[in-house]
Amino acid sequence: MDIKEILIISAQSMWLMLPLFISNPSAVFTGNKKPIDFGKSFSDGTRILGDGKSWGGLVGGTLIGMVAGLAMAFVMRSADADVHWQFGASQVEILKNVFLISFGALFGDSAASFIKRRMKFKRGAAVPGLDQFDMIAGVWLLLMIFSWGWFTDMFISDGRWVGLIAVLILTPVLHRVANIIGYKIGVKEVPW
Ligand code: CTP
Ligand code: MG
């Protein structure tokens, strides 16, 4: 594999992961006062997820990510682009994968909050490592469980795993940039 191939695979992998980079930050705008954990505490006496994880954020963020993903899918299908730029071969598969990517990001984000609350980190506390990779972990897990064939074709077979490494390297960078923007425009309390 030459450098050009590595760059193309990396670009395709980042493209297919784009809905997650949209759904996760969108939750900041669609978040409401209806916590996913209904305000309940876990057996350790601390909130299950906390007020930072709301139904509005989960549903709204997922929908916005899906609209973006479906628009991306439409563009690539219209352009008759290479299969590695596509979210699936059929409309059902496209819808499924776009949902898994969009929802998976917020699912991973909520799972991370569950872990953070167990570790007694307050809402909004920065936990390096978890904060940057929770959404990626959520997406990959859901794709591996519910869309194994597509996931392997896109991100594992024929050396395409190099794309996953590119995603792992670029995600913390994008995460940082998004949070600084969120802080500057006043939708996030802290720049991380
Ligand atoms: N948000 C939401 N619902 C979600 C995810 C995010 O309402 N499912 C909103 C909340 O207003 C949240 C903000 O987006 O405060 C930023 O998200 P995030 O940084 O993930 O939450 P934190 O406030 O840091 O909470 P936690 O410590 O649980 O991560
Ligand atoms: Mg946070």
Side-chain angles (χ1 to χ4, degrees):
M1 201 183 315
D2 56 21
I3 186 75
K4 192 179 154 214
E5 262 180 289
I6 292 176
L7 287 177
I8 291 173
I9 293 174
S10 300
Q12 289 167 334
S13 302
M14 282 303 284
W15 169 259
L16 293 177
M17 287 295 120
L18 215 65
L20 83 88
F21 295 110
I22 293 170
S23 76
N24 202 58
S26 296
V28 176
F29 300 100
T30 62
N32 61 11
K33 294 205 168 2
K34 291 192 168 63
I36 297 175
D37 65 8
F38 298 109
K40 290 195 168 60
S41 293
F42 197 61
S43 56
D44 59 4
T46 307
R47 284 287 294 279
I48 301 175
L49 301 176
D51 286 331
K53 304 296 117 139
S54 70
W55 286 106
L58 183 68
V59 176
T62 299
L63 288 178
I64 294 175
M66 285 185 73
V67 168
L70 292 175
M72 291 163 62
F74 181 76
V75 169
M76 283 310 184
R77 255 169 97 97
S78 307
D80 207 10
D82 181 273
V83 52
H84 293 109
W85 293 101
Q86 311 275 357
F87 287 95
S90 67
Q91 284 175 351
V92 173
E93 195 185 15
I94 291 172
L95 194 62
K96 177 176 122 181
N97 287 330
V98 166
F99 168 76
L100 290 174
I101 296 163
S102 196
F103 174 76
L106 291 159
F107 168 73
D109 177 61
S110 293
S113 288
F114 178 78
I115 296 170
K116 286 189 263 187
R117 296 302 92 80
R118 304 289 72 74
M119 295 166 75
K120 306 294 176 207
F121 284 110
K122 293 219 155 43
R123 173 187 178 181
V127 184
L130 209 53
D131 285 332
Q132 289 77 10
F133 299 108
D134 53 7
M135 45 182 190
I136 291 285
V139 171
W140 289 355
L141 182 73
L142 292 193
L143 285 177
M144 282 191 253
I145 295 173
F146 299 106
S147 205
W148 178 252
W150 184 76
F151 184 75
T152 47
D153 284 351
M154 293 294 150
F155 301 105
I156 298 181
S157 316
D158 303 326
R160 297 194 65 83
W161 52 267
V162 296
L164 286 188
I165 295 178
V167 171
L168 281 179
I169 295 171
L170 290 170
T171 298
V173 179
L174 280 180
H175 188 261
R176 186 90 189 102
V177 171
N179 285 338
I180 290 173
I181 294 173
Y183 176 68
K184 288 249 196 277
I185 64 174
V187 294
K188 270 201 72 115
E189 316 249 304
V190 285
W192 53 76

